[in-house]
Amino acid sequence: IALLGANEGALRAVSSAGAVMRFDPASSRFVAANTAWSEQKTTVEPGVGAARGRYLVFAAGDKVAFYDTRTERTELTLAGFGKGSARRVVADSASVSILFEDGAIRSPVDWDSLGATRRGGRKVNLSDPAQWSAVDSASLPAPDSALRRRVEALALPGDDVGDVLRLRFDAEGRLHAWAEPTVRRLDGDVWTTAFSYDPGLASTTYESSVRWLRPWALSSSGDWLFGSWGKGALVASADGSSQRWSVPGDGSCLKGYMASGYAPQPELTVVPGVVPFGKGALFAWWPPEPTSGYGLMWWDGVSDPVCRTVAGVVHQPHSLFPGPAEDEVWTVSPTEIERLRVGTRLSSVSSEERYATGALGALHSVVHDGLGRLWAAGSGGLGVVCDANAPEGICLAGREDTLVRADMWLGLADFRYTVLATDGHGRLYAGGEGSGVVRVDVSGRDLSRNGVRFWNVSSGLPSDNVRDLVVDPVDGMLYVATDRGVARISTDSRDKSSFPKAGAPIVYPNPFRPDRHDAVRFDRIPAGASVSLYSRSGRLVRRWLPSSARGGLIEWDGRDGSGRPIGPGVWNWVVSGSGKTWKGRLLVIR
């Protein structure tokens, strides 16, 4: 498949041989819509084309095809550019850009009359290469259909991409991938071996796919911490030269239990979740046949571990997660979520709140958004705790201090979510087995289905089976670990270096049709610049401060400062900063 495009509610694919196929929901298969282009006997290059909800644009050799999904035929074929073979096509709502072997060209397009368009008051024939403008290939903008879906596969050495279980950033902002028993570090776009740890005392005939704990980087020391599913906890230095295990019977505070039942059963179970705490980390553990309570352990790998018992809990936790406050830790059990307040070096432990999991079933992950709301992912879907900042609509009267499902309200598919992440800018990411990645805008009280985005194999993910998610705290890039490799997604808060430093700001799609487009994007916004939108009479409609532009991009949902949708017509935008001002017009059609 060279290209996927959703046009007017129908999904179409263009094969590398040039055949256009349409997805048939009744048979869950792609059926041939047009195979005429495959007679060209040239390979279709990966490209992007989805213009006006109607056209697919793709390239093969020195030719470019404009395919109309309404008539199911190629309406225009361009050739004779004299720049070698086309390598990529970018089509957006206003123009078409073609990247050739020895350069790039771009031309504006009036999609209502495909054969010709206007520039400077005169008609421009698309089939005449002289009417196209030469552009720097590095400045080729991403189309709005790919801007939020740009996915890069990051393969690992030896193609052993299926081994990655967890992703974490260390204190210096470097990404690490954990594949038992090796930790790899991403340097640029190359994976190197950071270190391998020795399972050592943790080796046992007790087998489990989740025997190892998640790695964490401690911001204060930079050390990696590991925990064993069955035998204790491990701390290792960043280069792997120093490793220490804390296990039952080594003189630590961990209490050894006699094995019962099957002989391979471990003496105790360390919960698969490690929370950085002070200069050390917190672990939770419980015996194979618990009667009441469970244990917490704090350890920094140097001093003696400190242990405390949390009594009065029937169901033992199966994971730990950090809270928004430094002394706050959340434990997740099969039936409830519990918030703990923990003193320095585990000097005290107190239980403050508990929420029953209810319809969410067995929980796998929890995370707090920018408003302090607690989101949870479980076998029954995605949920949120109804509190003072609860989302409107999802949390109705009488649901205070309860955990409720939010996925049905947001129109999400019925998936088993296992991992959650937030980017600190009002966006929540969820993933799991077969679900791909879902992004939900949780920046306000009113959550809308318009704020939901999806990434899956159709968008370029190696697999829909997501094992972990992590957001780069510097540039907002989203990294996804799947069972077939690691991928990087350029989201709204992406690295500005991926776009040219020169060039004026651009606004797209223009015209903006709220019934077709999810947002207007103000792109290439210089650092320190503000963006303002005015009516034709000069009335200020919206203004965005410099801090609003993430990676040089601002997304706007078409509403004024009071939350009301703006009406149709022409609106003026102004970008001001660094002693420069850029102006333009935005057409809104409803």
Side-chain angles (χ1 to χ4, degrees):
I1 300 298
L3 169 68
L4 282 172
N7 295 73
E8 296 190 338
L11 179 66
R12 286 173 175 81
V14 183
S15 72
S16 59
V20 181
M21 296 166 287
R22 182 178 62 252
F23 184 74
D24 179 17
S27 61
S28 295
R29 297 180 59 188
F30 278 98
V31 296
N34 190 309
T35 59
W37 190 260
S38 60
E39 298 174 1
Q40 303 291 331
K41 304 298 183 182
T42 54
T43 301
V44 172
E45 298 294 337
V48 177
R52 297 296 296 273
R54 177 173 179 177
Y55 295 102
L56 298 180
V57 187
F58 54 91
D62 62 346
K63 299 179 181 179
V64 177
F66 289 71
Y67 184 85
D68 192 335
T69 58
R70 293 181 181 175
T71 61
E72 297 291 1
R73 68 188 184 199
T74 299
E75 296 292 347
L76 179 65
T77 300
L78 304 181
F81 291 94
K83 291 180 174 290
S85 297
R87 292 304 183 201
R88 184 162 66 98
V89 175
V90 171
D92 59 22
S93 59
S95 65
V96 170
S97 301
I98 308 175
L99 178 63
F100 289 94
E101 293 175 330
D102 56 352
I105 59 176
R106 178 192 291 127
S107 179
V109 175
D110 179 357
W111 294 102
D112 289 325
S113 54
L114 182 61
T117 186
R118 292 181 179 274
R119 183 194 299 148
R122 58 189 179 89
K123 284 193 173 183
V124 177
N125 189 351
L126 284 178
S127 60
D128 181 4
Q131 304 297 327
W132 291 63
S133 300
V135 297
D136 182 4
S137 59
S139 68
L140 209 68
D144 56 54
S145 61
L147 187 60
R148 63 176 180 271
R149 297 177 183 271
R150 190 182 308 131
V151 179
E152 302 172 71
L154 302 174
L156 294 178
D159 291 331
D160 50 352
V161 293
D163 295 333
V164 177
L165 301 176
R166 295 286 179 259
L167 298 172
R168 288 292 181 269
F169 280 95
D170 65 12
E172 299 179 0
R174 297 174 300 183
L175 179 66
H176 290 68
W178 173 48
E180 180 189 334
T182 301
V183 176
R184 294 187 175 90
R185 182 173 58 243
L186 185 64
D187 294 326
D189 284 340
V190 179
W191 292 97
T192 60
T193 299
F195 69 92
S196 296
Y197 60 92
D198 180 12
L201 296 172
S203 60
T204 175
T205 55
Y206 175 76
E207 296 296 334
S208 172
S209 60
V210 289
R211 181 176 56 185
W212 305 106
L213 293 190
R214 310 174 186 185
W216 285 85
L218 295 182
S219 58
S220 58
S221 65
D223 286 339
W224 284 97
L225 284 162
F226 298 87
S228 166
W229 177 252
K231 300 290 284 188
L234 163 72
V235 63
S237 58
D239 59 1
S241 59
S242 173
Q243 300 181 19
R244 273 195 64 191
W245 282 92
S246 179
V247 296
D250 66 353
S252 72
C253 62
L254 284 176
K255 181 181 180 181
Y257 287 83
M258 295 298 295
S260 61
Y262 295 103
Q265 190 172 5
E267 293 176 325
L268 60 81
T269 297
V270 177
V271 170
V274 182
V275 174
F277 195 77
K279 294 184 178 180
L282 288 175
F283 300 84
W285 54 275
W286 42 278
E289 291 185 354
T291 55
S292 65
Y294 60 93
L296 282 181
M297 181 184 76
W298 177 87
W299 191 39
D300 61 1
V302 179
S303 55
D304 292 334
V306 179
C307 295
R308 283 189 176 274
T309 300
V310 181
V313 180
V314 177
H315 296 283
Q316 314 304 316
H318 57 67
S319 52
L320 291 179
F321 297 93
E326 294 183 0
D327 62 344
E328 185 177 334
V329 178
W330 288 82
T331 65
V332 175
S333 74
T335 60
E336 67 181 11
I337 307 173
E338 181 181 22
R339 181 170 68 180
L340 301 177
R341 291 291 179 185
V342 182
T344 304
R345 294 173 63 96
L346 204 58
S347 58
S348 62
V349 178
S350 61
S351 175
E352 290 197 343
E353 289 181 285
R354 293 179 182 175
Y355 301 106
T357 58
L360 287 182
L363 295 187
H364 302 280
S365 181
V366 297
V367 71
H368 289 80
D369 64 18
L371 297 178
R373 295 176 298 209
L374 182 68
W375 293 84
S379 58
L382 178 68
V384 63
V385 171
C386 294
D387 55 16
N389 296 318
E392 296 178 357
I394 297 177
C395 294
L396 303 176
R399 289 189 173 184
E400 292 80 3
D401 296 328
T402 58
L403 180 62
V404 301
R405 289 188 63 174
D407 48 357
M408 293 184 291
W409 174 275
L410 295 169
L412 302 181
D414 189 14
F415 284 120
R416 173 179 173 264
Y417 298 104
T418 56
V419 289
L420 296 174
T422 58
D423 64 0
H425 306 297
R427 290 173 176 85
L428 172 73
Y429 297 92
E433 191 76 16
S435 68
V437 178
V438 177
R439 190 193 78 182
V440 181
D441 186 347
V442 294
S443 58
R445 292 282 302 275
D446 184 14
L447 303 188
S448 169
R449 295 186 180 185
N450 293 330
V452 178
R453 300 287 179 270
F454 301 92
W455 290 271
N456 50 33
V457 291
S458 298
S459 310
L461 280 184
S463 169
D464 284 343
N465 300 321
V466 176
R467 289 175 168 173
D468 201 13
L469 300 168
V470 65
V471 178
D472 190 325
V474 176
D475 58 30
M477 294 281 190
L478 178 68
Y479 290 82
V480 185
T482 73
D483 62 350
R484 300 195 63 182
V486 180
R488 175 173 56 206
I489 300 178
S490 301
T491 61
D492 307 70
S493 304
R494 67 201 184 288
D495 184 1
K496 190 179 178 181
S497 64
S498 61
F499 286 82
K501 296 181 179 179
I506 57 176
V507 179
Y508 55 89
N510 192 0
F512 171 54
R513 292 177 169 83
D515 60 334
R516 295 185 182 180
H517 307 125
D518 62 323
V520 174
R521 293 170 179 84
F522 299 88
D523 205 350
R524 300 184 189 171
I525 306 301
S530 62
V531 179
S532 302
L533 188 71
Y534 299 90
S535 66
R536 292 293 298 273
S537 63
R539 177 178 58 87
L540 179 64
V541 178
R542 284 291 297 271
R543 187 170 189 269
W544 293 268
L545 299 176
S547 58
S548 301
R550 303 294 178 182
L553 177 72
I554 293 176
E555 281 191 323
W556 174 51
D557 60 2
R559 298 175 182 272
D560 61 19
S562 301
R564 296 184 297 267
I566 67 169
V570 177
W571 305 82
N572 299 319
W573 57 265
V574 178
V575 177
S576 302
S578 303
K580 296 182 179 181
T581 300
W582 296 267
K583 299 180 179 180
R585 293 181 177 179
L586 172 67
L587 176 61
V588 178
I589 299 177
R590 291 187 181 273

